[in-house]
C-alpha cells in the first residue's frame, strides 16, 4: 500500500489533536507516515504510533524549523521524492497552505485546501469534501494529477487509535539559498490565555460590537464552559480583542459542538467562519439581527444581563 | 520601485453565489474587486507615493474582470493588464499562478521588483496563489503581513499567528501578501475616477504570454469538483425574549441539549 504523508503539528514534540485526526484520515487512503519537523521527535513518537504512523520521517534542521513556507516545501518535496506517497496531508494553517502551494508547483500535484473530509475515491483518486461560499455549499472534489496534496481543517474528524510501529527515519535536507532568503528575525510569543485553542475547542463563546469593549461577561461564561473566546471583526478592529481570536472569513474558521454569539449581528463574513458549528446560540438586543436565522436557541436581550444569569445557572447545574 | 499587484474579480458575497453546470463558479452574478485585494492596492499606492515608481494591476478573468482593474485604477494605480482568454475558464490555482507568473515576467521584462497580493480571494479563499507565483518566479515570499516597511532593497514586516507575532525580513525582488489589518484602503475620489478613464489597460491572450492552452482551463486542472450541494438552510430554533429569565432559559437549553 502506498504511503500517505501527514505533516505533524506539534509544539516541541507535543503532538496536537489535529495530527491524530489526519493520521485517521490517512489510513483510509494508504499507509500513514508522519513527517516531523524539529527536535524532540522521541517525545512525539508514542502518540504518532498510537494513531497509526508506520514511519516517522524526522527533519531536524534549523533551516526548516523556522516556520516559513519555502523551506518547509523543500523538505516535503525531498520526502515525497524518497517515498512516492499517494498523498500529502497537512493541517490547515496559513504557513502550511503556502508550503502546500509551493509543493504543488514543485511536484506537479493537485492541491485542495481546507478539506473537512478525505476518502479513497474511484480508481484510487483522493476525494475530498470542502465547504464553499461561506459554507453555504458542500463540495466534493478529487485530485486528478500527480500526488494529491490536501490541507485539512482541524476538528472535522474524530481521531481513532490504531497502533503502529512509528519507525524513525531521519531525513537530511539541504535548504536552497533562495528558500532561506526570507527569515524570521524576531518572535514575540503571545500571552497565553489558558483557554483552549479556538480551532480545536469544543465550545466557542464570541463577543462582537455589542460588548462595547467589555469582554468580561463573555470570558466568564467561556471559562465556566471550558470554552475558547472568539470575536467579530468589529470587536477586533476596535482593538478590544486580538486578531488571532477573530472568527470569520479573514479570521479563524471554527466548527465546535457549541457556538455562542454575543452581541454579534451575523454578517456574511462572520457566518463564513462559524455556520458549520453543530449548535448555535445567540444573544442579541435586536430581534431582527440576521444571526437569529442560524440559531438553535436565541435570546433577544442585553448580553450584560443575560450572560451573567446564564453563567450562574450553568454553574449551579454543574454543581 | 515598480510594483505589480495581483487583483481578482469575484462574485459579490452579498449575492447568491453558486455554481454552474460544469461545476465552476457562476460568474453571471454581480462581481467586484475582491475586497482583500484592496489592501494590496492601497499598500502599493503608499509605497509609490511621491512619484517613486509605478503600480501595475494585473488580473486574470472574464471580460467583466476589467471592473476590478478599473476600481484599482480609480484608487490610483497607474496601469492595468487583463489576461483574457476563453481557454482560461475553470482554471485551478496552479494554472492561475502559471499565467500570473508569465504575465508578471512580461510586465517587468523578466525583472520583477515587488509583487503584492491579497491574503486570499473572497471566492476560492484558498490563500495559495501568492506562494505558487513566488515559487514559479523564484522569488522569496513574505506573506500574511500586517505591517510592511521597505527601505532600499530590504523588506520587513510583521506576521501574527496563534502562538506569536513574528518579524519577517527578506530583500527585493520579493512577493508580499498583506492582510486586512495592514491599512485602510482609500475610496476612489472624483478626480481618481476621472483620471482612471485615461489610464492604459492592456488585454493579453494566452498566446501573447506564450502559454499553451493545454496547460490551463477546466479540462487541464489538477483537481476536479465532482459535486456541489447547497447546505440545507439551518432551521431556526427557539427564540425567546428576555423577561428577566433569558439567561436561565439559555442554561436550560444547554442542559437539555447535553452541552453542559
Ligand atoms: C473583506 C471582509 C472580511 C471580513 N471578515 C470578517 C471576519 O473574518 N469576521 C467577522 O466577524 N467579520 C468580518 N467582516 C466584517 C463583517 O462584515 C461585519 O462588519 C462584522 O462581522 C460585524 O461585527 P459585529 O456583528 O460584532 O458588529 P455589528 O454588525 O455592529 O453588530 C453588533 C450587534 O450587537 C448587538 N448589540 C449591541 N449591544 C448589545 C447588547 N448590549 N446586548 C446584546 N446585543 C447587543 C446589536 O443589536 C448588533 O446586532 C469582514 C468584512 C469584509 C469586508
Ligand atoms: C469554491 C471554489 C473551490 C475551489 N477549489 C479549488 C481547489 O481545491 N484547488 C484548486 O486548485 N483550485 C480551486 N478553485 C479554483 C481557484 O480558486 C482559482 O483557480 C483561483 O483563480 C485561485 O485560487 P483562489 O481564488 O482561492 O485565490 P487565492 O489563492 O485565495 O488568492 C490569493 C491572491 O492571489 C491573487 N489572485 C488569485 N487569483 C487571481 C486572479 N485570477 N487574477 C489576479 N490575481 C489573483 C490575488 O491577489 C488574491 O488575493 C476553487 C474555486 C472555487 C470558487
Amino acid at each position: 500500500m502506498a504511503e500517505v504523508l501527514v505533516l505533524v503539528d506539534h509544539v516541541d514534540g507535543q503532538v496536537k489533536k489535529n495530527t491524530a485526526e489526519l493520521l485517521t484520515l490517512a489510513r483510509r487512503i494508504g499507509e500513514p507516515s508522519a513527517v516531523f519537523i524539529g527536535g524532540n521527535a522521541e517525545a512525539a513518537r508514542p502518540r504518532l504510533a498510537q494513531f497509526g504512523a508506520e514511519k516517522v520521517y524526522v527533519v531536524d534542521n534549523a533551516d526548516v524549523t523556522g516556520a516559513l513556507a519555502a523551506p518547509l516545501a523543500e523538505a516535503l518535496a525531498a520526502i515525497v521524492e524518497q517515498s512516492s506517497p499517494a498523498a500529502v496531508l497537512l493541517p490547515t494553517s496559513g504557513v502550511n497552505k503556502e508550503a502546500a502551494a509551493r509543493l504543488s508547483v514543485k511536484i506537479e500535484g493537485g492541491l485542495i485546501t481546507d478539506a473537512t473530509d478525505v476518502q479513497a475515491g474511484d480508481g484510487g483518486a483522493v476525494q475530498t469534501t470542502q465547504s464553499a461560499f461561506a459554507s453555504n455549499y458542500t463540495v466534493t472534489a478529487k485530485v486528478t494529477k500527480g500526488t494529491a496534496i490536501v490541507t485539512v481543517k482541524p476538528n472535522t474528524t474524530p481521531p481513532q487509535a490504531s497502533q503502529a510501529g512509528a519507525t524513525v527515519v531521519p531525513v537530511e535536507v539541504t535548504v536552497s539559498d533562495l528558500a532561506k532568503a526570507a527569515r524570521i528575525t524576531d518572535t514575540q510569543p503571545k500571552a497565553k490565555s489558558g483557554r483552549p485553542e479556538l480551532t480545536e475547542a469544543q465550545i466557542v463563546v464570541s463577543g462582537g460590537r455589542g460588548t462595547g469593549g467589555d469582554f468580561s461577561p463573555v470570558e466568564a461564561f467561556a471559562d465556566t464552559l471550558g470554552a475558547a473566546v472568539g470575536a467579530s471583526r468589529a470587536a477586533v478592529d476596535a482593538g478590544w480583542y486580538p486578531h488571532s481570536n477573530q472568527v470569520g472569513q479573514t479570521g479563524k474558521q471554527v466548527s465546535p459542538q457549541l457556538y455562542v454569539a454575543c452581541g454579534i449581528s451575523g454578517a456574511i463574513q462572520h457566518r463564513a467562519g462559524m455556520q458549520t458549528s453543530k449548535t448555535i446560540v445567540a444573544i442579541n438586543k435586536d430581534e431582527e439581527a440576521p444571526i437569529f436565522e442560524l440559531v438553535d436557541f436565541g435570546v433577544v436581550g442585553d448580553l450584560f444581563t443575560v450572560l451573567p444569569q446564564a453563567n450562574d445557572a450553568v454553574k449551579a447545574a454543574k454543581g | 520601485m515598480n510594483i505589480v499587484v495581483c487583483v481578482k474579480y469575484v462574485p459579490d458575497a452579498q449575492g447568491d453565489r453558486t455554481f454552474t453546470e460544469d461545476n465552476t463558479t457562476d460568474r453571471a452574478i454581480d462581481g467586484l474587486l475582491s475586497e482583500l485585494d484592496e489592501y494590496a492596492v492601497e499598500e502599493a499606492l503608499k509605497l509609490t507615493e511621491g512619484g517613486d515608481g509605478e503600480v501595475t494591476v494585473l488580473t486574470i478573468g472574464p471580460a467583466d474582470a476589467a471592473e476590478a482593474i478599473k476600481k484599482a485604477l480609480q484608487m490610483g494605480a497607474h496601469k492595468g493588464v487583463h489576461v483574457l482568454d476563453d481557454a482560461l475558464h475553470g482554471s485551478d490555482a496552479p494554472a492561475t499562478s502559471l499565467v500570473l507568473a508569465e504575465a508578471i515576467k512580461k510586465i517587468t521584462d523578466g525583472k520583477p521588483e515587488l509583487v503584492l497580493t491579497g491574503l486570499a480571494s473572497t471566492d476560492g479563499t484558498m490563500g495559495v496563489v501568492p506562494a505558487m507565483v513566488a515559487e514559479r518566479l523564484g522569488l522569496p515570499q513574505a506573506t500574511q503581513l500586517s505591517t510592511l516597511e521597505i527601505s532600499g532593497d530590504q523588506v520587513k514586516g510583521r506576521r501574527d499567528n496563534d502562538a506569536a507575532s513574528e518579524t519577517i525580513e527578506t530583500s527585493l525582488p520579493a512577493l508580499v501578501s498583506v492582510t486586512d489589518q495592514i491599512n485602510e484602503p482609500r475610496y476612489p475620489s472624483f478626480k481618481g475616477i476621472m483620471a482612471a478613464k485615461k489610464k492604459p489597460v492592456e488585454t493579453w491572450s494566452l498566446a501573447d504570454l506564450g502559454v499553451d492552452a493545454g496547460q490551463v482551463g477546466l479540462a487541464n486542472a489538477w483537481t476536479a469538483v465532482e459535486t456541489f450541494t447547497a447546505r440545507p438552510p439551518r432551521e431556526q430554533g427557539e427564540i425567546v425574549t428576555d423577561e428577566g429569565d433569558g439567561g436561565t432559559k439559555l442554561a436550560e437549553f444547554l442542559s437539555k441539549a447535553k452541552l453542559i
Side-chain angles (χ1 to χ4, degrees):
Chain A
M1 209 171 7
E3 288 182 45
V4 176
L5 302 182
V6 170
L7 180 66
V8 176
D9 189 0
H10 70 100
V11 179
D12 197 28
Q14 295 299 312
V15 177
K16 296 209 184 146
K17 182 166 148 259
N18 58 17
T19 306
E21 295 170 8
L22 265 61
L23 287 168
T24 303
L25 291 173
R27 292 207 302 272
R28 297 183 186 164
I29 47 180
E31 191 174 276
S33 295
V35 176
F36 185 95
I37 312 277
N40 222 358
E42 266 317 303
R45 240 190 78 190
R47 196 157 153 84
L48 299 174
Q50 185 193 352
F51 288 95
E54 298 287 352
K55 284 185 201 154
V56 183
Y57 294 100
V58 178
V59 180
D60 190 1
N61 175 334
D63 289 336
V64 184
T65 43
L68 285 168
L72 180 53
E74 287 191 356
L76 289 170
I79 299 169
V80 166
E81 193 175 335
Q82 108 176 48
S83 62
S84 307
V88 184
L89 308 184
L90 307 90
T92 287
S93 74
V95 171
N96 287 355
K97 283 211 253 189
E98 292 181 353
R102 281 187 177 256
L103 182 67
S104 165
V105 171
K106 276 183 203 296
I107 67 170
E108 302 199 350
L111 170 62
I112 289 173
T113 55
D114 300 296
T116 55
D117 202 9
V118 179
Q119 304 277 356
D122 294 340
V126 173
Q127 200 181 36
T128 61
T129 306
Q130 291 164 285
S131 291
F133 299 142
S135 299
N136 284 327
Y137 283 85
T138 303
V139 173
T140 61
K142 66 178 178 195
V143 174
T144 53
K145 162 105 190 217
T147 301
I149 306 167
V150 183
T151 81
V152 183
K153 278 199 200 181
N155 229 356
T156 46
T157 308
Q160 281 158 7
S162 166
Q163 194 67 33
T167 315
V168 170
V169 183
V171 182
E172 295 298 328
V173 179
T174 318
V175 177
S176 71
D177 287 343
L178 176 62
K180 283 191 273 195
R183 310 169 311 282
I184 295 176
T185 54
D186 182 50
T187 303
Q188 298 290 331
K190 296 243 165 86
K192 289 216 169 66
S193 68
R195 298 189 179 97
E197 245 181 68
L198 203 45
T199 50
E200 286 186 0
Q202 294 299 308
I203 303 180
V204 175
V205 184
S206 288
R209 202 193 308 269
T211 63
D214 179 2
F215 263 64
S216 56
V218 172
E219 290 183 326
F221 197 45
D223 289 341
T224 300
L225 294 171
V229 174
S232 73
R233 177 162 161 190
V236 167
D237 281 353
W240 301 338
Y241 232 69
H243 180 243
S244 48
N245 294 69
Q246 182 178 315
V247 171
Q249 182 191 294
T250 51
K252 296 281 159 52
Q253 310 212 343
V254 299
S255 341
Q257 293 297 313
L258 171 65
Y259 188 83
V260 186
C262 312
I264 292 176
S265 60
I268 180 93
Q269 297 90 349
H270 188 79
R271 292 176 180 215
M274 47 66 77
Q275 69 177 347
T276 54
S277 304
K278 199 91 187 290
T279 300
I280 298 175
V281 166
I283 304 163
N284 196 302
K285 275 208 299 214
D286 173 11
E287 63 177 345
E288 307 273 315
I291 191 82
F292 284 129
E293 292 162 17
L294 304 179
V295 299
D296 297 286
F297 191 84
V299 182
V300 180
D302 190 327
L303 70 92
F304 289 99
T305 52
V306 175
L307 269 180
Q309 187 182 60
N311 198 12
D312 288 344
V314 169
K315 274 190 190 160
K318 282 188 159 184
Chain B
M1 185 173 29
N2 292 316
I3 306 175
V4 180
V5 187
C6 300
V7 298
K8 191 177 186 188
Y9 178 75
V10 299
D12 190 342
Q14 306 300 337
D16 288 324
R17 293 181 296 177
T18 183
F19 296 86
T20 54
E21 265 170 28
D22 67 358
N23 292 352
T24 60
T25 311
D26 183 355
R27 298 193 181 270
I29 73 165
D30 278 350
L32 76 180
L33 166 61
S34 178
E35 283 162 308
L36 292 172
D37 292 344
E38 288 185 16
Y39 299 89
V41 173
E42 176 65 34
E43 204 56 25
L45 297 176
K46 283 165 106 178
L47 287 167
T48 51
E49 251 154 23
D52 178 19
E54 256 188 350
V55 177
T56 306
V57 289
L58 165 64
T59 197
I60 301 175
D64 289 349
E67 287 296 315
I69 293 184
K70 187 164 129 195
K71 171 82 186 277
L73 295 178
Q74 290 176 343
M75 287 172 72
H78 300 89
K79 51 188 191 166
V81 171
H82 182 178
V83 183
L84 172 66
D85 198 310
D86 289 343
L88 285 162
H89 171 78
S91 292
D92 61 355
T96 302
S97 68
L98 172 74
V99 177
L100 287 174
E102 291 306 318
I104 291 165
K105 281 187 205 161
K106 187 168 155 92
I107 291 166
T108 61
D109 278 332
K111 290 194 263 318
E113 289 181 79
L114 177 63
V115 179
L116 269 174
T117 75
L119 177 69
S121 72
T122 59
D123 60 347
T125 67
M126 293 180 76
V128 299
V129 167
M132 286 181 171
V133 170
E135 176 73 25
R136 291 186 185 280
L137 292 172
L139 293 179
Q141 67 183 73
T143 47
Q144 307 165 44
L145 299 188
S146 47
T147 67
L148 176 63
E149 279 165 53
I150 296 187
S151 53
D153 72 344
Q154 292 306 300
V155 178
K156 187 173 172 176
R158 201 184 72 232
R159 181 175 74 187
D160 293 303
N161 62 36
D162 286 341
S165 176
E166 297 164 338
T167 304
I168 296 183
E169 293 187 48
T170 190
S171 53
L172 296 176
L175 178 139
V176 170
S177 80
V178 301
T179 74
D180 55 346
Q181 306 285 303
I182 198 165
N183 58 38
E184 200 56 61
R186 68 194 69 184
Y187 289 104
S189 63
F190 178 71
K191 215 173 120 212
I193 292 170
M194 297 313 288
K197 296 186 176 164
K198 299 201 196 81
K199 291 178 178 170
V201 178
E202 294 202 39
T203 306
W204 292 342
S205 66
L206 288 174
D208 291 328
L209 295 175
V211 174
D212 177 10
Q215 288 181 281
V216 302
L218 190 59
N220 304 300
W222 299 355
T223 50
V225 171
E226 298 194 292
T227 62
F228 57 89
T229 325
R231 185 180 291 279
R234 291 189 80 106
E235 289 209 12
Q236 195 182 53
E238 191 187 353
I239 312 262
V240 300
T241 300
D242 181 34
E243 278 157 359
D245 58 354
T248 314
K249 285 189 169 150
L250 174 56
E252 279 166 9
F253 168 80
L254 295 178
S255 183
K256 251 195 286 172
K258 301 206 164 38
L259 288 160
I260 50 171

